[in-house]
Amino acid sequence: MRSAIINLGQIITGDWRNPHASGDTIVMADGLVQSIGTASADDLRNCDVVIDAGGAVAIPGLIDSHVHITFGDYTPRQKTVGFLESYLHGGTTTCITASEVHVPGRPKDPEGVKALAVAASRCFAEFRPGGMRVHAGSIILEPGLVKQDFTDLADKGVWLAKAGFGAFASPFEYEPMIGWAKQAGMITTMHTGGSSIPGSSGIWADHLLATRPDVSFHVNGGPVAMPDRDFARVVHDSDMALQGCTAGNLRTLLLVSNLVVKAGQFDRFLIATDTPTGSGIMPLGMFYTITHLASLSDLPVEWAIAAATGNNAAVYRLNSGVLAPGRDADVVVIDACDGGATDNALDALRNGDVPAVGAVVTAGVPRFVGRSRNTPAAIRKVRVAECRIPQDFTASAH
Ligand SMILES: [Zn+2]
């Protein structure tokens, strides 16, 4: 499919070093961004669908790097079907699993956790709920796994490993397994903060610095934060990515964001939701965290958007998350909500408001155009201007 979004008021790239793209048009073909800036009448005539953004703002589709995926579009924790499709209506176009720890009766033996990771990875290889790309299958590190297991898993396509829920006496015992997973080319992640499962121990700076995962999962607590003094140590004494989550401690989210900015280390700062959990299902969670950072701290709103898009893409080696030619054509059109105090999406986010989502495109295919089921209406009218194929993109996904 070939599609275009025209009449954009601003284009935010998702790259915090170069956050604005000039022009008002994005042309997409075969799942990728083809060009950004302007398009000729011929370019647009060759498109199957043209979306008129009416002056609203384009950002890359949000990447939530901490989602409690299980199987299908279902969360056992909150007993809800369709949550991923609902997240797409909140602007999230990519979800990365936080490991399949919420699968009821999930296995804890080496063969079981390996099979679970492979099965989850395969089940989401082509399944796109509402158009969302889901990266599932994170091996839950448990005692008994050996080095060869990680090579075997990597050969089967598993590229994520999760420390924090295993039956170890101490979090320090994860150290060799995290090393094996890294050697197999995996991205390693570690629960941070107070224990989220009764009986499991808290994971603080000492553990992170000794085991060196690639990503400190919910560095601001999931949901309970480690002591304040530990944040500076993790920022200054390691190079791991630091994931701030919606379902965590807001005060320490702002603390760690300020620390990474002052340290000149903003590439390491990621936004995710850590949902569905006991904190609930949060389709607008990514936007809440973006607006918390943009309204309660000095962080530029474009940087907060980058932490939710391009920074996640870089750490997780994804081709989405940045609006540039050759990148995945995952685009979200946002605006200020009708009836609010501001008249554009970026000012709304700076004001502490969630934006209106006016359209979501993934892999170059519009998933809905007009009104998200989860946000108030936009001020500007985002609409299908031209459609040359027999499909109604104004309807909600499915
Ligand atoms: Zn989690």
Side-chain angles (χ1 to χ4, degrees), residues 66 68 98 162 165 218 274 277:
H66 196 126
H68 282 278
K162 163 70 185 278
F165 295 138
H218 47 65
D274 188 13
T277 45

Side-chain angles (χ1 to χ4, degrees), residues 31-285:
L32 302 176
V33 173
Q34 191 170 66
S35 66
I36 292 186
T38 55
S40 68
D42 270 356
D43 282 339
L44 297 180
R45 253 194 304 275
N46 290 330
C47 286
D48 299 305
V49 191
V50 176
I51 298 168
D52 183 342
V57 173
I59 64 170
L62 304 173
I63 300 172
D64 187 342
S65 55
H66 196 126
V67 181
H68 282 278
I69 306 298
T70 57
F71 288 96
D73 191 355
Y74 173 63
T75 163
R77 182 55 54 94
Q78 296 300 339
K79 298 184 168 46
T80 299
V81 173
F83 77 100
L84 290 168
E85 198 180 305
S86 195
Y87 279 35
L88 184 110
H89 276 249
T92 299
T93 57
T94 301
C95 281
I96 303 174
T97 185
S99 83
E100 287 69 34
V101 72
H102 286 183
V103 168
R106 70 105 174 154
K108 298 191 167 76
D109 61 301
E111 283 310 313
V113 288
K114 284 194 292 178
L116 178 59
V118 173
S121 154
R122 298 274 167 88
C123 284
F124 279 101
E126 302 299 332
F127 173 46
R128 280 180 165 255
M132 176 188 286
R133 168 68 76 198
V134 177
H135 297 284
S138 178
I139 177 76
I140 302 166
L141 301 185
E142 288 282 4
L145 289 167
V146 298
K147 187 174 182 186
Q148 184 65 38
D149 290 327
F150 295 90
T151 316
D152 294 346
L153 285 165
D155 287 345
K156 291 173 181 161
V158 173
W159 57 278
L160 294 161
K162 163 70 185 278
F165 295 138
F168 294 95
S170 150
F172 292 114
E173 293 177 22
Y174 284 111
E175 193 264 334
M177 278 186 198
I178 287 174
W180 298 333
K182 282 182 175 176
Q183 283 168 35
M186 294 183 182
I187 293 169
T188 56
T189 63
M190 191 174 209
H191 178 98
T192 306
S195 53
S196 74
I197 290 181
S200 66
S201 80
I203 297 179
W204 295 3
D206 282 342
H207 306 112
L208 292 167
L209 296 176
T211 55
R212 303 249 161 202
D214 295 294
V215 185
S216 161
F217 256 6
H218 47 65
V219 66
N220 60 320
V224 176
M226 61 185 177
D228 281 13
R229 62 178 180 276
D230 282 32
F231 285 89
R233 295 182 58 208
V234 173
V235 170
H236 298 302
D237 299 344
S238 84
D239 61 0
M240 70 187 69
L242 305 167
Q243 181 193 65
C245 284
T246 314
N249 177 311
L250 174 57
R251 187 183 60 79
T252 59
L253 173 82
L254 302 176
L255 170 72
V256 71
S257 160
N258 286 335
L259 285 170
V260 290
V261 169
K262 278 202 190 105
Q265 302 270 308
F266 194 67
D267 290 311
R268 293 167 58 194
F269 188 64
L270 314 179
I271 291 176
T273 63
D274 188 13
T275 61
T277 45
S279 300
I281 295 166
M282 300 185 70
L284 299 182

Side-chain angles (χ1 to χ4, degrees), residues 1-12 22-29 32-40 43-44 47-61 93 323 328-334 358-370 381-386:
M1 177 183 281
R2 208 177 136 80
S3 52
I5 308 173
I6 61 170
N7 210 4
L8 286 160
Q10 289 192 70
I11 300 170
I12 305 302
S22 56
D24 63 0
T25 300
I26 301 173
V27 178
M28 300 162 279
L32 302 176
V33 173
Q34 191 170 66
S35 66
I36 292 186
T38 55
S40 68
D43 282 339
L44 297 180
C47 286
D48 299 305
V49 191
V50 176
I51 298 168
D52 183 342
V57 173
I59 64 170
T93 57
L323 294 181
D328 292 350
D330 294 356
V331 187
V332 175
V333 178
I334 57 173
V360 172
V361 176
T362 69
V365 180
R367 305 301 175 167
F368 69 86
V369 179
K381 186 160 178 56
V382 183
R383 65 188 182 90
V384 175
E386 294 170 48

